[in-house]
Amino acid sequence: MRVLARRAGYVLFLVLGLCATVQAGRDSFEQRMQPCAACHGDQGRATEDGYYPRIAGKPAGYLYEQLLNFRGGQRQHAQMTYLVERQRDDYLRQMAAHFAAVQLPYPAPPPARVDTRVLERGEALARQGIAARDVPACASCHGAALTGIEPAVPGLLGLPYDYLAAQLGAWQQDVRHARAPDCMAQIAQALAPADIEAVAAWLAAQTVPVNAKAVVEPIASRLECGSWAPRP
């Protein structure tokens, strides 16, 4: 009940924030994006609620893709769908570019929730994958430093455990989708629950490098992902 009340409060904040922006006649795009702070934190840096990710500094191509996915129903989240369902493509591009340009320091990661053996398993998944199940390493798609690859692959560091585990679970249960071929669905469906716990715990426990940004480098995975290529 407490979580439902908090989410209802977020929706009210979003609606009131958007209305206040319109009524005040503001023309600053940064001011128009202030309602996003209700869930994603000041300037998109994330809040203590582990289910809402940081969006500041993510590649613009990735953020734009996700906004389109919320609008098109490939991702399920009532508040996000409400915010974007009537927005034009060009406005969603502006939103993505705005948050991609925000570069903020990351806080220190919280203490790991699991023991050393689970963290070791998570690191092996992130850096080596599972060859026997045709699961590539996270680093083969998300960059050697796991900070993302331009123009459309996000970093995995600096994200909370709850969010990482929930998204892998959503792909595994056919709730979250991406452009075909949907490689993340293929990967998630090959993971055991213990694998998801381990890799999410290890990623969430990592310190983010200073000035961490998505890099320009070849994607090492042999999988094909429809979301790698930016939208025209």
Side-chain angles (χ1 to χ4, degrees), residues 34 36-47 52-53 99:
Q34 285 180 357
C36 300
C39 297
H40 292 286
D42 180 42
Q43 296 181 287
R45 72 175 72 228
T47 64
Y52 294 93
F99 285 107

Side-chain angles (χ1 to χ4, degrees), residues 46-123:
T47 64
E48 293 182 1
D49 190 320
Y51 290 99
Y52 294 93
R54 176 188 174 108
I55 53 177
K58 296 292 183 185
Y62 169 76
L63 293 174
Y64 178 59
E65 182 80 14
Q66 301 318 302
L67 291 169
L68 291 176
N69 287 346
F70 282 117
R71 192 181 67 183
Q74 288 84 6
R75 292 189 68 173
Q76 307 294 319
H77 192 277
Q79 294 99 309
M80 283 300 304
T81 300
Y82 175 80
L83 284 176
V84 302
E85 61 186 352
R86 293 179 178 84
Q87 300 297 342
R88 302 184 310 273
D89 288 1
D90 60 341
Y91 194 80
L92 297 183
R93 284 187 188 277
Q94 284 183 275
M95 292 176 67
H98 168 78
F99 285 107
V102 178
Q103 299 297 327
L104 300 167
Y106 283 78
R113 303 181 179 186
V114 297
D115 63 31
T116 302
R117 288 176 299 176
V118 176
L119 292 175
E120 289 173 351
R121 173 63 174 165
E123 182 175 14

Side-chain angles (χ1 to χ4, degrees), residues 133-138 140-142 168 171-172 182-192 196 221 223 225:
R133 284 187 250 160
D134 206 23
V135 174
C138 301
S140 68
C141 297
H142 294 271
L168 286 169
W171 261 304
Q172 189 177 66
D182 188 350
C183 59
M184 278 305 307
Q186 177 182 335
I187 292 167
Q189 288 162 16
L191 295 175
I196 290 178
S221 174
L223 291 180
C225 295

